Amino acid sequence: MDISIVIPLLNESESLFELQSWINSVMEKHGFTYEIIFINDGSTDDSWEIIKQLHSEFDSVKGINFNKNYGKSQALHAGFIEAKGKVVITMDADLQDNPEEIPELYKLITEENYDLISGWKKKRYDSIVFKNLPSKLFNKAARWTSGLKLHDFNCGLKAYKLQVVKHINVNGEMHRYIPVLAKQAGFSKISEKVVQHQARKYGKTKFGAERFINGFLDLVTLWFFAKFGKRPMHFFGAIGVLMFLVGLLSAIWIGSSKLYKLWNGLPNILVVDNPWFYIALSAMIIGVQMFLAGFLGELVLRTKSNQKRYLISEKI
């Protein structure tokens, strides 16, 4: 099979018939063998009924129905498990991603041997204040943190080699950072392509301004796990030892100063009246706690078990 198209969705019933028809015409025009995998992420409208109807009419349409809304990352994870095409395309179901881009994305993966191509919506039809400007700030921070020179990390339209999606673990809200996850997994040939962005035709966006706040927090998490995810003691232990040494040296200085003044008959104060005593005590306590946090992190890392992250109620 040439292409697997993975489409997560939430309450997009109005666009599904048109989207499937558009994808089908592009695929037939270029002679691709393909499958469309719709992942219904807890929709409360008729999305799943429409997916079942499309499946009954077209062999290429497959569907996964979540028991409730688990988020885009979990939907992509489920779709990646089922994908069988040598090139995997992800796109949104709201008709803002243009299926006409698929042949060129396919060519970049198969002929130019890229591991991952990320779409870049250079011209957007979104709110400047609430989406475009925050998106630019978010992408700049992502570039600086990850080292990947991509302009649009959050674009839903991406193309992957099959082995890429089979070897990355998309969880939490990390769908924004799939290129970063791919790079960390050793897939280094990553680039981008300018793609056409369409104005939303039906419904309204499912993402608010809070996604950018969550995005920045996830970026910090990703940076931490990239550096210390497999060795938490290197982070917490190092800070703990440093803090403990600061406290210990401060305590030694306080004690030495006290003895020196007593030895020379100089005016002196009680140790507990010296503010450095509390600084030293706090630093040592924090140091021990940080060291224990690193130790516990190592224990968790060695004893954790993979748990199911979502419940599928039906699969077709």
Side-chain angles (χ1 to χ4, degrees):
M1 184 182 295
D2 295 323
I3 299 174
S4 291
I5 304 171
V6 177
I7 306 175
L9 62 105
L10 173 64
N11 295 333
E12 298 288 357
S13 58
E14 295 173 302
S15 64
L16 292 179
F17 284 115
E18 186 174 339
L19 177 61
Q20 190 280 331
S21 177
W22 195 357
I23 292 173
N24 186 60
S25 66
V26 172
M27 296 296 103
E28 289 186 351
K29 178 181 177 181
H30 293 271
F32 291 129
T33 55
Y34 71 101
E35 62 180 358
I36 304 173
I37 305 173
F38 289 108
I39 305 94
N40 182 40
D41 187 20
S43 296
T44 55
D45 63 3
D46 295 331
S47 293
W48 182 241
E49 296 303 317
I50 292 173
I51 291 169
K52 289 197 289 186
Q53 182 179 338
L54 289 171
H55 169 70
S56 66
E57 296 176 9
F58 302 95
D59 292 337
S60 59
V61 174
K62 301 176 181 179
I64 297 172
N65 187 39
F66 280 1
N67 194 50
K68 66 174 186 177
N69 177 246
Y70 288 99
K72 190 173 182 178
S73 292
Q74 318 311 323
L76 288 173
H77 181 269
F80 288 164
I81 290 176
E82 298 297 330
K84 297 179 177 63
K86 62 182 178 181
V87 174
V88 178
I89 304 288
T90 60
M91 62 189 306
D92 294 334
D94 55 11
L95 299 176
Q96 289 191 281
D97 293 332
N98 191 337
E100 301 288 347
E101 303 282 356
I102 293 175
E104 185 62 29
L105 291 169
Y106 177 84
K107 186 183 296 185
L108 288 169
I109 297 293
T110 56
E111 296 183 10
E112 300 192 30
N113 202 34
Y114 282 102
D115 295 317
L116 188 157
I117 296 293
S118 181
W120 173 17
K121 298 173 182 176
K122 196 170 184 178
K123 183 179 180 181
R124 299 177 65 100
Y125 294 93
D126 292 320
S127 167
I128 294 176
V129 175
F130 294 105
K131 296 194 82 171
N132 286 8
L133 184 59
S135 182
K136 288 181 184 295
L137 295 173
F138 164 78
N139 284 308
K140 187 174 182 178
R143 286 194 296 272
W144 178 76
T145 305
S146 68
L148 280 173
K149 305 304 180 185
L150 301 179
H151 290 85
D152 192 357
F153 283 81
N154 205 38
C155 179
L157 186 57
K158 291 181 174 68
Y160 314 78
K161 283 183 178 176
L162 181 63
Q163 55 264 44
V164 174
V165 303
K166 298 299 184 183
H167 287 88
I168 59 175
N169 186 17
V170 189
N171 55 34
E173 290 296 321
M174 292 300 175
H175 59 272
R176 304 175 181 90
Y177 304 111
I178 290 180
V180 183
L181 296 174
K183 180 184 177 184
Q184 292 174 358
F187 299 100
S188 57
K189 198 166 183 185
I190 298 171
S191 188
E192 64 184 354
K193 178 188 179 297
V194 176
V195 296
Q196 182 180 351
H197 184 226
Q198 315 259 109
R200 174 177 274 275
K201 190 171 182 179
Y202 303 107
K204 59 181 180 179
T205 180
K206 310 302 186 297
F207 301 101
E210 72 277 0
R211 72 169 180 159
F212 294 106
I213 298 173
N214 296 336
F216 282 114
L217 295 176
D218 289 338
L219 187 59
V220 174
T221 301
L222 193 63
W223 171 83
F224 177 83
F225 276 102
K227 288 187 173 293
F228 305 106
K230 297 186 183 300
R231 40 193 173 92
M233 180 60 85
H234 288 201
F235 178 78
F236 293 105
I239 294 177
V241 169
L242 179 63
M243 292 294 292
F244 186 84
L245 285 176
V246 169
L248 181 62
L249 293 173
S250 298
I252 291 172
W253 178 79
I254 292 168
S256 301
S257 175
K258 177 78 172 179
L259 291 173
Y260 175 78
K261 289 179 179 179
L262 287 173
W263 184 266
N264 291 281
L266 298 173
N268 206 347
I269 61 173
L270 293 173
V271 170
V272 292
D273 291 333
N274 189 337
W276 274 100
F277 169 76
Y278 298 100
I279 294 174
L281 186 63
S282 299
M284 286 191 285
I285 292 173
I286 293 172
V288 171
Q289 289 177 330
M290 294 293 285
F291 188 87
L292 288 175
F295 182 70
L296 292 173
E298 294 284 346
L299 288 177
V300 170
L301 195 65
R302 283 161 173 73
T303 59
K304 72 175 183 178
S305 59
N306 292 325
Q307 296 181 346
K308 204 166 185 179
R309 301 202 306 264
Y310 45 82
L311 177 63
I312 295 174
S313 63
E314 190 175 355
K315 187 187 294 186
I316 55 174

